[in-house]
Amino acid sequence: MFRLNQDYLKLPGSYLFSTIGKKAGAYRAAHPDRTVISLGIGDVTQPLVPAVIDALHRAVDEMGHAETFRGYAPDLGYAFLRDVIAGWDYRKRGCEIAPDEIFISDGAKGDSANIQELFSADAQIAVCDPVYPVYVDSNVMAGRTGTYDAEKGTWSRVIYMPCTEENGFCPELPEKEPDLIYLCFPNNPTGSALTKDQLQVWVDYANRIGAVIIYDAAYEAYICEENIPHSIYECEGARTCAIELRSFSKNAGFTGTRLGFVVIPKDLKSGDVMVHSLWARRHGTKYNGAPYIVQRAGEAVYTQQGQEQIRAQVAFYMENARIIRESLKKTGFTVYGGVNAPYIWMKTPDGLSSWEFFDRLLEDANVIGTPGSGFGPSGEGYFRLTAFGSRDNTIEALDRIRRFYE
Ligand code: MLT
């Protein structure tokens, strides 16, 4: 008789964005006459840029001819893509990352969930609170998080680092020493960013206590202010303590196309063993790589033309962020984020809980957002809106919110 993985059974409820999707679906079915606008899940709405589309067309044609057809991709990904990433994302920023320290993948969500496999079953993780739920849930599935306290919404073996109004939504070093530290900056969900000095403190700390930082930089393209690092490798010493996760989803609109990468410097070691070797072993065993045509599309992002086009797209979304921020402020809400990140983190009005406000906003304004408590206990009383909508929907959603709450 088979038995299920008991750790999966510990997971409370469904994945946050699945729950929201179900609620929104039920509301739409019950009210077919209403136009519901989603500023909930951070999914992009603008089409792929012309440089990427051209590259996709060319690569598709190559696959149709015996001389240019490609089968399995190399284990780490094609060199043409790893080379341009090493040049544009790292060398240009003064970071010492070699192409063979870059592993191409089909996106940062899977990478952020899978990377924990490399570490011991009793490794203790530290996460920001609120946090992107994948980091915690994947460790629950791996049996690393202890027992769940449903009242508090916390796991007994997880170290939570509250990110609150008081600390500017930037975590403080934890009292208890973790083995793995998940950091995501610019942050999902609060939209906050760390300066280089602030990030350096984490790098120094991780090196001092022998911890690994899993640094999710999926939103680095949205950084607008000076002195905010785009990569953790801008910090001194990060090569011996940090793994970086990157995505093409938010900077180049690949949420449906799927492409990302993991950087593991060869200097990151446990004793004599490089973490790099373990991830390479995992890639070889469990993964056959992102499709050739998608890797060619990724390469096009790093052409002059591609860069100009994706920067314009990021600027488009950041204008949405500005519109959301300004409009909510005018309406009287307390608002954070949206300056170096495509997420706006607002306080719920009238002491409503995050889910109460979700229901209220859906009913009153037919607008969907993401309840802050879905990201962790410190998210209670907050609500996240994304800047990834179309311009018309963003303006319309904010008009509706203003009409109800002014
Ligand atoms: C979000 O809304 O937090 C993101 O879309 C989630 C993701 O990128 O997987």
Side-chain angles (χ1 to χ4, degrees), residues 68-91:
T68 46
F69 170 80
R70 311 283 180 126
Y72 293 126
D75 270 4
L76 268 63
Y78 284 100
F80 62 73
L81 180 55
R82 289 184 289 113
D83 286 346
V84 289
I85 291 171
W88 284 79
D89 283 336
Y90 295 103
R91 241 188 341 271

Side-chain angles (χ1 to χ4, degrees), residues 126 159 161 172-178 181 199-211 213 241:
I159 298 169
M161 306 182 290
E172 280 145 37
L173 299 181
E175 279 167 23
K176 189 155 190 266
E177 287 185 3
I181 302 164
L199 187 56
Q200 185 67 55
V201 169
W202 284 93
V203 169
D204 293 343
Y205 172 71
N207 275 322
R208 191 166 69 245
I209 66 167
I213 297 176
C241 69

